[in-house]
Amino acid sequence: MGDRTPVANFPRFMRSQSMSALTKSSRSLGLTREPPWLHVRREPFEYGTLPIPSLMHSDVLASLMTLRGKLLSQAPPSLTSCTSSWSLSNTTNLVCAPSTPSVSEITRRVSITGIAAALELTEEYAQLILETLASTLNDEGTIVDRLASSLVNEIESVGADIDDLLLYLYLQTYRRAPSRPHRDASSVADVWPCTSAIDGILPASTLLKVRLAGVSRRLMPTQAEEEGHQLKYVRKHLRSLLTILSETNKEGLEVITPERFERLGFFLRAKNARMESVPLSQAAPLFAGADPHVPVLPVALTQVLEWVQHHLCAASESQWDTILTRDEKSLAKVRRMFPPGKIPSSQAEVNMMDVMTPSVLATSRDVQAPTAPDDALSSSKDWRPENLTFIDGVIRSSVSKGENDIKGGSVKVSYCQDSVVYVLAPLKYASVFGCSDSIVVLGAVGKAVRVEHCERVQIIVPTARICVANCRESIFYLGVNLRPLFTGDSLNLQVAPYNTFYPKLEAHLAQVGVDARINKWDCVLTLGLANLHDAFKRSAHAATSQIVGASLLPTDKFAMFTIPSWSIPDSDSMHHTSANPFILPQLYIAAVEQRSRAAETLKLNIKNAALEVDKERELVAAIHSHFRDWLYASGSIRQLYNSPTQE
């Protein structure tokens, strides 16, 4: 009965947006693809861009092809070993090539000195490029470049594969998804929903200046929009990326070998029908040889391009058809609730909304017919990121996450205000975005941490690498193996040595490859006036002012941070990290010991003082008052929020 109802009889907000139309549109665009699926890796885009102006070129492809020659002159050829010189069989086993290696089987790697000479940069910048590349290379699967799995003290000796380096340099043309335009006054103010616990501590002028610079989540692109933007970028530049990996054969045809096609894994990961990661060259039938003992021949670039375009999709696209089918059934159920001709008109929208399920309501009002697959997916309420755990929008609360709560090895803490967030788990990547007046304690992070658009936060993290961009009035307690990078429009930032521990910390450090014997917390590297990859509008002052970077936290302001027992899972109590594994500098040790001695002396003097009852009450009241002031001034008051509970 509902199937015969004309679409014109539906309320205004449902016309031309019915799920049947959306299903038809999505299928015509090829949303229901066959495996293998090629998903864009978010890590290079989120952790790999650097604001170095000399890396930006107007004609990027021609510049990189010229640069290849310079890099080759800096990199003497070396034959690959049996673990990396391989051919593919139709049984997907890796075997060593039995014959003399061809040109495509010769790996050329370039060192920091070679990168600096070819790019005409200082060795300091060349080292930063190499370290950033190492932190963003794909380290999943059976075919992994040596640099991706190297420890931080091995990066310089391993060097970069030239193809990987060229793809990374091409990535520097990426500009992030633009911010949304202002709509009303509430869009500007929504990042400050409540009074902060430390209001009144900072000078009023500083508070006003910082709050005006606050980041509104209504103006910032969502994670879905960011990843849709990344997918568009790869689609647009795919031919150029493949051209970088191609070579010309004797007939003058551009071809790609399976070894060099595998390098595209910097941007893409392949998933089979069971959603398992597989090497790119094994996923592509183009490179499947009939004889396992005969090396696979190169394939024409045009064929590779066509195959990648056909299988390239958003991470949630493999489930898109199921999502559409479910919502279409829900919409049909709503139709059957009304007899023909009795569908409520546009004047009765409120009543119609009352009877609709949340899923149908969200779809009918918010999801438009897609103009491209990534547009449809990024606007879907059923979109969810791949291998990423969100901790979002925590306000005046304490939240603790352990190993069992983290899926995929990556976490994003976003838009938390006046809160304490504990993520006591081993991680590959972690990002903190848009937080204010909060304390974020992260477990060991093996690849990279990025902190962006945060204000008056304390970040406590042991990691291999950290980048801080566009932050203000914040302190970073770091155990970091590589130089911390500060960039963007920053103000009043301080760094200090790592200052806490939890029972499984040493086990997590070993698991992700962070070395507690190396801590470069005070070797700050300040780069650029602004992030050239941001599409966000900036004030004239922010675009021209000199970046200050970060200063060292005075020793008299340093204190150890105690993680409360309620935030530590019971299963972790049997582990034995009982002290900070990162060695504190002597000046900070002396400051901590002096403060401890002063507290003991005060305690002893109070105990031995023979005071009258009234004087004793006055003293206790004064101590409580000073302690309360310290709780608010240091931000430690936030640790008392919801302390007996876990989310």
Side-chain angles (χ1 to χ4, degrees):
M1 178 171 60
D3 293 338
R4 296 191 299 268
T5 304
V7 175
N9 289 339
F10 278 82
R12 182 179 65 253
F13 70 90
M14 295 176 63
R15 296 175 191 170
S16 74
Q17 296 184 19
S18 67
M19 290 310 301
S20 58
L22 184 55
T23 304
K24 181 179 179 181
S25 176
S26 63
R27 287 171 179 165
S28 67
L29 288 166
L31 283 175
T32 54
R33 303 174 189 270
E34 295 296 327
W37 295 290
L38 303 182
H39 299 164
V40 175
R41 296 181 63 240
R42 79 173 72 87
E43 292 83 3
F45 296 93
E46 296 185 3
Y47 300 92
T49 55
L50 293 174
I52 301 178
S54 59
L55 299 184
M56 311 291 287
H57 302 279
S58 55
D59 188 354
V60 60
L61 185 58
S63 300
L64 291 181
M65 300 310 284
T66 302
L67 180 62
R68 177 187 288 278
K70 295 181 180 180
L71 291 171
L72 287 173
S73 66
Q74 298 290 332
S78 60
L79 295 183
T80 58
S81 65
C82 183
T83 58
S84 58
S85 178
W86 44 268
S87 60
L88 292 175
S89 69
N90 54 8
T91 59
T92 69
N93 293 322
L94 297 183
V95 297
C96 293
S99 57
T100 302
S102 65
V103 174
S104 63
E105 292 171 341
I106 294 179
T107 295
R108 295 178 185 267
R109 307 189 75 86
V110 62
S111 65
I112 290 176
T113 303
I115 295 173
L119 293 175
E120 299 180 358
L121 295 172
T122 64
E123 290 198 2
E124 181 181 56
Y125 281 3
Q127 182 175 359
L128 175 63
I129 291 171
L130 182 61
E131 292 169 350
T132 307
L133 173 62
S135 69
T136 53
L137 281 172
N138 190 359
D139 64 349
E140 300 175 354
T142 56
I143 302 177
V144 176
D145 186 80
R146 285 184 293 157
L147 183 61
S149 56
S150 297
L151 300 176
V152 291
N153 57 354
E154 301 171 343
I155 290 176
E156 186 172 352
S157 61
V158 171
D161 178 88
I162 290 179
D163 286 331
D164 287 337
L165 179 59
L166 291 174
L167 291 178
Y168 172 77
L169 295 176
Y170 195 103
L171 172 69
Q172 304 310 309
T173 63
Y174 175 73
R175 290 181 66 86
R176 295 169 64 176
S179 56
R180 301 165 181 166
H182 285 277
R183 293 183 179 178
D184 48 45
S186 62
S187 297
V188 182
D190 75 330
V191 76
W192 307 107
C194 58
T195 304
S196 169
I198 62 173
D199 279 356
I201 302 300
L202 295 175
S205 59
T206 302
L207 278 173
L208 178 62
K209 184 176 182 180
V210 172
R211 289 199 172 192
L212 288 176
V215 177
S216 169
R217 68 184 305 157
R218 295 185 186 180
L219 304 180
M220 305 300 287
T222 64
Q223 185 71 26
E225 291 169 339
E226 283 278 10
E227 295 194 15
H229 190 66
Q230 294 163 10
L231 178 57
K232 288 181 181 179
Y233 175 87
V234 173
R235 280 203 176 108
K236 178 180 178 180
H237 297 275
L238 183 57
R239 185 178 184 89
S240 296
L241 297 175
L242 291 174
T243 299
I244 292 174
L245 299 174
S246 68
E247 56 189 50
T248 304
N249 62 11
K250 296 179 180 179
E251 290 76 25
L253 181 67
E254 287 185 301
V255 295
I256 297 179
T257 64
E259 296 91 343
R260 298 185 73 175
F261 178 64
E262 195 65 47
R263 299 293 174 181
L264 195 62
F266 178 70
F267 283 101
L268 303 176
R269 60 165 55 93
K271 293 293 184 73
N272 60 20
R274 296 185 297 275
M275 297 304 292
E276 299 169 338
S277 295
V278 294
L280 271 179
S281 49
Q282 292 184 16
L286 301 171
F287 297 106
D291 188 344
H293 300 289
V294 178
V296 179
L297 295 176
V299 178
L301 183 149
T302 52
Q303 290 181 268
V304 177
L305 176 63
E306 182 180 357
W307 183 85
V308 174
Q309 287 175 332
H310 180 71
H311 291 272
L312 181 61
C313 60
S316 299
E317 190 164 326
S318 57
Q319 303 165 357
W320 183 247
D321 190 50
T322 303
I323 294 169
L324 292 175
T325 302
R326 184 186 70 237
D327 286 341
E328 190 174 22
K329 290 178 180 178
S330 299
L331 185 58
K333 182 178 179 180
V334 173
R335 286 177 170 178
R336 289 194 293 270
M337 295 176 64
F338 300 94
K342 298 298 183 180
I343 299 294
S345 64
S346 59
Q347 286 78 10
E349 281 185 17
V350 175
N351 294 332
M352 185 66 176
M353 291 166 62
D354 290 339
V355 300
M356 293 183 70
T357 63
S359 176
V360 176
L361 180 60
T363 303
S364 61
R365 299 196 68 174
D366 298 333
V367 179
Q368 299 178 355
T371 57
D374 44 295
D375 290 339
L377 289 163
S378 64
S379 61
S380 169
K381 296 298 183 182
D382 293 278
W383 175 91
R384 59 179 179 269
E386 187 179 37
N387 300 325
L388 179 62
T389 300
F390 275 97
I391 301 175
D392 182 76
V394 180
I395 299 176
R396 282 201 169 186
S397 184
S398 295
V399 174
S400 178
K401 298 291 184 182
E403 292 183 67
N404 296 332
D405 304 311
I406 304 300
K407 308 301 180 184
S410 296
V411 67
K412 183 171 185 177
V413 182
S414 56
Y415 301 108
C416 296
Q417 298 149 13
D418 217 354
S419 300
V420 182
V421 177
Y422 305 94
V423 185
L424 306 182
L427 304 166
K428 277 190 176 182
Y429 298 94
S431 65
V432 183
F433 188 94
C435 295
S436 59
D437 301 304
S438 297
I439 301 173
V440 179
V441 183
L442 298 173
V445 184
K447 289 293 186 178
V449 175
R450 184 173 181 86
V451 184
E452 193 170 11
H453 294 294
C454 292
E455 299 166 343
R456 300 189 302 280
V457 298
Q458 296 181 41
I459 307 295
I460 305 174
V461 58
T463 180
R465 176 178 178 267
I466 185 170
C467 176
V468 179
N470 306 312
C471 293
R472 300 189 173 199
E473 305 282 353
S474 300
I475 305 175
F476 301 86
Y477 296 91
L478 304 177
V480 60
N481 291 166
L482 300 173
R483 296 182 65 181
L485 175 64
F486 287 79
T487 185
D489 183 19
S490 299
L491 179 68
N492 293 344
L493 302 182
Q494 294 178 309
V495 292
Y498 188 69
N499 66 339
T500 192
F501 64 91
Y502 57 93
K504 293 190 72 173
L505 175 58
E506 288 176 304
H508 291 170
L509 291 173
Q511 182 175 339
V512 301
V514 175
D515 191 345
R517 297 169 299 177
I518 304 173
N519 193 358
K520 298 186 178 182
W521 66 275
D522 55 345
C523 302
V524 174
L525 177 60
T526 303
L527 184 63
L529 297 179
N531 194 337
L532 304 176
H533 304 279
D534 276 354
F536 311 135
K537 293 183 178 180
R538 303 182 182 279
S539 65
H541 172 75
T544 58
S545 60
Q546 182 64 42
I547 300 303
V548 178
S551 59
L552 304 187
L553 182 72
T555 55
D556 61 331
K557 301 293 184 182
F558 179 82
M560 297 300 293
F561 183 89
T562 301
I563 298 176
S565 58
W566 66 263
S567 66
I568 301 173
D570 294 336
S571 59
D572 292 0
S573 58
M574 63 184 68
H575 294 267
H576 303 293
T577 299
S578 56
N580 184 358
F582 291 88
I583 299 176
L584 289 177
Q586 192 59 43
L587 289 177
Y588 286 89
I589 293 177
V592 172
E593 291 177 347
Q594 181 181 359
R595 187 178 293 108
S596 178
R597 287 194 300 268
E600 289 296 328
T601 301
L602 176 62
K603 182 179 178 180
L604 184 62
N605 290 339
I606 293 175
K607 183 178 180 180
N608 296 333
L611 299 176
E612 298 178 356
V613 176
D614 292 341
K615 294 294 184 181
E616 184 176 352
R617 288 176 180 173
E618 290 179 9
L619 178 60
V620 171
I623 293 174
H624 286 174
S625 176
H626 283 288
F627 179 66
R628 184 172 58 252
D629 291 343
W630 173 83
L631 282 176
Y632 281 90
S634 64
S636 299
I637 186 66
R638 302 186 187 100
Q639 289 186 272
L640 304 181
Y641 294 159
N642 298 341
S643 57
T645 63
Q646 296 187 50
E647 180 176 289

